[in-house]
């Protein structure tokens, strides 16, 4: 049996914490679909195409470096309910990172709701301790205020962030 999981998110932008969870999921399951939500609740800094492109480039880089198998991670996008995307992909497991108790309530609620409305099982991966304080929103804020984000996001994401906030 081949087990595929969906790692959904806004990825605005993808952080090293996201990437670590995705890669660890890819090593435990046969295939991971990174599902980028088209319309996050807040106006995104990066367009859907940019968010998908940055993740795809990072996955390609990891494949080229031999860190993950080719074809083990696909990047897709969705609009609407996550459970509908999972049904279209014929996947019954969602995999998400959990940074700490701050994430827990909302994540548990979503997991239970997705189980109720779509029969989706959610599996949580404990974030690495040195990634537990990373969040896309904090990283966007720090970049906007000209602070350092090196080591918090992949290098290509850092370059894209700096370009976007400086408007160059
Ligand atoms: O990276 P984020 O913003 O924490 O990701 C949240 C996301 C995209 C996983 C969540 O908002 C989501 O699943 N959105 C799709 C709409 C949906 O299915 N809503 C019901 C959730 S129970």
């Amino acid at each position: 049996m081949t087990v595929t999981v969906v790692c959904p998110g806004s990825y605005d932008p993808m952080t090293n914490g996201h990437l670590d969870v995705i890669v660890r999921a890819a090593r435990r399951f046969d295939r991971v679909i990174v599902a980028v939500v088209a319309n996050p609740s807040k106006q995104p800094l990066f367009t859907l195409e940019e968010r998908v492109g940055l993740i795809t480039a990072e996955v390609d880089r990891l494949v080229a470096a031999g860190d993950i198998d080719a074809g083990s991670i696909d990047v897709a996008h969705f609009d609407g309910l996550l459970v509908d995307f999972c049904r279209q992909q014929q996947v019954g497991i969602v995999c998400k990172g959990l940074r700490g108790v701050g994430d827990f309530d909302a994540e548990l609620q979503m997991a239970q709701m997705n189980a109720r409305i779509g029969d989706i099982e959610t599996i949580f991966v404990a974030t690495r301790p040195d990634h537990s304080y990373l969040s896309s929103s904090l990283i966007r804020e720090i970049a906007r205020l000209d602070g350092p984000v090196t080591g918090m996001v992949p290098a290509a994401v850092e370059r894209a962030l700096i370009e976007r906030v400086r408007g160059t």
Side-chain angles (χ1 to χ4, degrees):
M1 188 179 69
T2 301
V3 182
T4 300
V5 299
V6 166
C7 289
S10 307
Y11 300 107
D12 185 38
M14 178 176 66
T15 69
N16 282 341
H18 290 133
L19 189 60
D20 178 59
V21 168
I22 292 165
V23 168
R24 284 164 58 203
R27 292 190 178 136
R28 297 284 173 177
F29 300 101
D30 299 300
R31 181 170 163 246
V32 171
I33 304 174
V34 180
V36 184
V37 70
N39 295 303
S41 46
K42 280 178 264 162
Q43 176 69 29
L45 181 63
F46 292 100
T47 66
L48 175 63
E49 290 69 27
E50 288 168 335
R51 288 177 282 138
V52 168
L54 287 167
I55 301 169
T56 305
E58 205 52 34
V59 169
D60 290 347
R61 193 187 64 75
L62 291 171
V63 170
D67 290 342
I68 51 169
D69 294 337
S72 61
I73 301 177
D74 289 320
V75 186
H77 56 86
F78 72 104
D79 207 356
L81 286 175
L82 176 60
V83 294
D84 290 336
F85 174 78
C86 289
R87 192 179 307 119
Q88 284 154 17
Q89 299 292 323
Q90 298 182 301
V91 175
I93 305 174
V94 160
C95 175
K96 298 189 89 177
L98 205 55
R99 287 170 295 192
V101 288
D103 282 346
F104 186 74
D105 279 351
E107 291 296 345
L108 181 66
Q109 193 178 17
M110 280 194 276
Q112 291 169 333
M113 185 59 87
N114 285 330
R116 164 79 192 265
I117 65 175
D119 193 24
I120 293 294
E121 202 65 76
T122 299
I123 289 178
F124 293 110
V125 170
T127 302
R128 262 172 47 175
D130 54 326
H131 288 156
S132 61
Y133 57 90
L134 297 182
S135 87
S136 297
S137 58
L138 274 183
I139 287 169
R140 288 196 305 271
E141 181 176 323
I142 291 165
R144 275 197 186 104
L145 298 172
D146 230 5
V149 296
T150 305
M152 300 181 197
V153 291
V157 172
E158 182 180 350
R159 285 193 294 276
L161 253 177
I162 291 170
E163 254 180 45
R164 180 57 40 92
V165 298
R166 290 187 185 157
T168 52

